[in-house]
Amino acid sequence: MTTAGDTVSFDSLPAPTVVFDSDGCITRCNAAAATLFDAAPDSLVGREFAELFAPDAREGVRAHLAAALTGEAPRRGESFRVLDTERYVDIEWLPHDGDRAWGQVALYDVTNHFRTQRDLRRLHEISSDGSRELDEKIEAMLAVGLERFDLEIAFLSMIDDTFEVVAALGDHDRLTGGATAPLATTYCRRTLDTEGAMVVEDALEEGWEDDIAYRTFGLGCYIGSKVYVDDSTYGTLCFADTDPREGNFTETDRAIVDLLARWAGYEIERKQRELRLRRQNERLEEFTSTVSHDLRNPLTVASGNLELLAEDLDDERIDTALEALERQERLIDNMLETARQGELVTDAERVDLESVVDDAWRSVRTDGAVLSIDSLPTLQADETRLQTLLENLFRNAVEHGPTCPDSHTRQDSVEHGSTDSRIGSDDAELTIEVGPLEKGFYVEDDGVGIPAETREAVFQEGYTTSESGTGLGLAIVERIVRAHGWEIEVMESADGGARFEIRLQTQF
């Protein structure tokens, strides 16, 4: 029997609480539960509890109630969406007398958590979408914030001596893209002086009525945070409405607007960096083209005259001079290649490393060496430059390692296994292997190796141990590595040869 005191106590429970019978039907609920389900308490009595949730959540709710009735350990880590809403609740069973065929559960609203996780997923999708330009990303981010805060106006500003709207959503004639105003007339002047988010929930109640910002823009509520680019204040990111806020901005809301502001700053910084790199690359390309033209012309003239002279004179000194000019031509080619490979990569695409390794191997003279490939993944790279990197590493290994005598043929067999493929002669004296690292890949051989005291020098331009070498092959490798933002290290392989480890900044 329920007493009056018991009724008052049950109805006054702060958490929505529901009592149900052995069939999972509601026998009693408090006022908070009725509010959660937007129904009168009497209308809920007799209904199956699970029917108050979205169809795809009902079996989970029934399983949860069954556990409560049998006294099993509570189900953890599950939240359920309320029928015809975007509200989510956790269900926690409450102890009951096992001799009675009824159970009792408390409901906890976790909608804010779900909304936050959803917003973070959407921001990640926007940021990682390489097909979107910066203005498209900013607009999409503003839309996420408007939905999050349930407001009508959003804008990104750039602030120097004046306030300028860079991007905006919403219907406000003074807050549109390109609009400017004196900083002293804006809400953002206070945002710049506030640690974290600056919040106005009801401008009139909070004393803004006589403030020039309220008289100019008429915003009844506002939440904004500073945007930093290259560690300097760029401007502000703000969300607002002409009406006062219904309810308070939560601590999570403040954290979200701070996160959005940091994200906007990161995207702007990245775009500015890409533009700088593109301009640098264009200037470098113009320079190398000019140098190539100015250097090659006199060489061509000299070579042509020497060849004509060789037709009339049989003098070995002419041959020596022609060989020197040919070497100079190779040096120019390698120097220009070194310069070009130093251009930072701004248009990396996802490439299949194993396919690039095969193409690189077929492009160099391997002198009967064997190539071993071990489970190579895909990665973000400039495919052309990645192939050049691999060609230079293969060429370096073949030129300095033992090879089959009198063998000058390219690969003559291919054997594929589940995790390994070998390309080359079965009786080769040199094996080159390409395999994966946790964050990167390696290229190693079983040749003579590189002495520890010279490993730091091998990437220097002009360093070579070969009379015919230019000393630029490994310098080009290092430039390509750095252009991608990677790192390279040379060490000894397990078989005493050379091992080059290329480490990426992110996972494949």
Side-chain angles (χ1 to χ4, degrees):
M1 180 177 179
T2 302
T3 66
D6 181 46
T7 301
V8 172
S9 175
F10 181 80
D11 286 339
S12 63
L13 289 172
T17 307
V18 173
V19 178
F20 54 92
D21 61 22
S22 58
D23 294 323
C25 293
I26 298 172
T27 60
R28 189 179 176 194
C29 66
N30 67 353
T35 300
L36 173 67
F37 294 112
D38 193 23
D42 292 344
S43 69
L44 295 175
V45 173
R47 294 183 61 179
E48 184 189 1
F49 181 63
E51 293 296 323
L52 300 178
F53 293 86
D56 59 354
R58 289 172 187 169
E59 286 307 311
V61 172
R62 292 185 179 109
H64 210 93
L65 299 190
L69 284 170
T70 59
E72 295 178 4
R75 297 165 62 93
R76 299 292 185 185
E78 290 185 89
S79 301
F80 306 98
R81 184 165 65 89
V82 176
L83 182 65
D84 296 332
T85 73
E86 290 300 322
R87 302 182 70 179
Y88 287 81
V89 297
D90 281 350
I91 301 176
E92 181 175 340
W93 64 272
L94 302 175
H96 72 283
D97 186 342
D99 294 334
R100 293 179 293 179
W102 58 264
Q104 184 171 321
V105 292
L107 310 174
Y108 297 94
D109 193 331
V110 293
T111 304
N112 198 46
H113 170 75
F114 268 78
R115 291 174 61 198
T116 299
Q117 295 301 311
R118 177 202 62 192
D119 294 341
L120 293 177
R121 284 195 300 270
R122 291 170 63 186
L123 285 174
H124 175 73
E125 292 169 359
I126 294 168
S127 181
S128 59
D129 187 351
S131 66
R132 296 197 195 200
E133 294 296 330
L134 175 62
D135 56 347
E136 295 175 313
K137 289 185 176 183
I138 295 295
E139 182 175 329
M141 179 269 296
L142 292 176
V144 170
L146 286 180
E147 183 178 346
R148 165 79 196 194
F149 304 122
D150 192 23
L151 298 173
E152 297 296 328
I153 302 164
F155 59 92
L156 170 68
S157 78
M158 181 171 60
I159 297 173
D160 193 356
D161 294 329
T162 61
F163 165 89
E164 179 181 352
V165 178
V166 176
L169 290 180
D171 186 15
H172 193 292
D173 57 359
R174 290 181 177 270
L175 294 171
T176 58
T180 60
L183 178 60
T185 67
T186 68
Y187 288 72
C188 295
R189 75 182 194 276
R190 294 197 184 181
T191 305
L192 297 181
D193 295 330
T194 302
E195 187 68 28
M198 203 279 279
V199 169
V200 178
E201 293 169 337
D202 189 326
L204 295 181
E205 286 193 3
E206 295 174 33
W208 285 75
E209 183 174 6
D210 295 327
D211 192 287
I212 188 172
Y214 182 78
R215 295 200 306 270
T216 302
F217 294 94
L219 301 179
C221 65
Y222 166 102
I223 183 170
S225 192
K226 292 184 287 293
V227 175
Y228 293 97
V229 173
D230 290 326
D231 297 325
S232 298
T233 302
Y234 171 90
T236 59
L237 180 70
C238 314
F239 301 88
D241 206 311
T242 52
D243 295 323
R245 173 78 169 170
E246 292 185 7
N248 298 327
F249 287 110
T250 66
E251 288 301 316
T252 302
D253 291 337
R254 295 168 186 259
I256 288 291
V257 80
D258 280 340
L259 174 65
L260 291 172
R262 288 197 298 272
W263 178 87
Y266 165 75
E267 290 294 336
I268 294 169
E269 184 175 319
R270 182 167 66 174
K271 183 64 175 180
Q272 291 180 348
R273 184 168 60 250
E274 288 177 357
L275 291 174
R276 288 195 298 269
L277 293 177
R278 187 174 293 115
R279 287 194 293 268
Q280 290 174 6
N281 289 346
E282 289 171 355
R283 288 195 296 269
L284 181 58
E285 184 64 31
E286 181 180 352
F287 170 76
T288 54
S289 296
T290 301
V291 170
S292 175
H293 179 270
D294 291 347
L295 288 177
R296 290 183 196 280
N297 275 352
L299 285 177
T300 301
V301 173
S303 297
N305 282 285
L306 282 172
E307 288 171 358
L308 290 173
L309 186 60
E311 294 177 1
D312 299 328
L313 296 176
D314 184 12
D315 191 326
E316 64 179 14
R317 289 175 296 178
I318 295 176
D319 294 333
T320 301
L322 283 171
E323 289 175 1
L325 290 175
E326 289 175 1
R327 175 172 168 77
Q328 189 67 29
E329 183 79 15
R330 291 197 303 273
L331 280 170
I332 292 172
D333 289 340
N334 283 337
M335 288 173 65
L336 293 175
E337 181 68 14
T338 302
R340 291 191 182 98
Q341 298 302 350
E343 298 174 4
L344 296 179
V345 173
T346 60
D347 54 353
E349 298 179 343
R350 199 153 196 84
V351 298
D352 178 50
L353 180 56
E354 183 168 336
S355 176
V356 180
V357 168
D358 285 340
D359 291 341
W361 184 257
R362 292 186 176 90
S363 299
V364 300
R365 178 170 174 166
T366 58
D367 288 349
V370 166
L371 173 67
S372 174
I373 300 173
D374 182 12
S375 303
L376 298 179
T378 59
L379 64 157
Q380 291 288 127
D382 180 311
E383 184 171 353
T384 300
R385 285 199 254 181
L386 178 60
Q387 180 171 331
T388 300
L389 179 154
L390 291 163
E391 289 171 357
N392 279 277
L393 289 178
F394 294 159
R395 196 174 290 117
N396 182 76
V398 171
E399 289 176 353
H400 295 88
T403 58
C404 295
D406 301 323
S407 174
H408 299 289
T409 59
R410 293 189 179 181
Q411 64 279 1
D412 54 20
S413 67
V414 178
E415 297 178 8
H416 291 280
S418 58
T419 60
D420 178 84
S421 65
R422 292 179 178 268
I423 304 176
S425 172
D426 291 340
D427 58 353
E429 293 182 14
L430 179 72
T431 297
I432 302 171
E433 179 176 315
V434 185
L437 299 172
E438 182 180 355
K439 289 186 178 181
F441 62 96
Y442 66 85
V443 178
E444 69 175 19
D445 61 62
D446 56 1
V448 297
I450 300 174
E453 62 271 16
T454 64
R455 288 172 190 165
E456 292 186 5
V458 296
F459 297 116
Q460 295 176 6
E461 296 179 14
Y463 180 87
T464 180
T465 59
S466 171
E467 292 184 1
S468 61
T470 63
L472 293 174
L474 292 181
I476 290 172
V477 168
E478 186 188 39
R479 280 180 173 261
I480 296 174
V481 166
R482 295 194 182 282
H484 281 84
W486 305 340
E487 295 179 353
I488 186 169
E489 183 180 2
V490 60
M491 58 191 68
E492 185 177 342
S493 71
D495 295 315
R499 176 182 173 97
F500 294 86
E501 293 191 351
I502 293 93
R503 299 191 177 276
L504 285 57
Q505 297 300 309
T506 59
Q507 293 282 9
F508 296 113

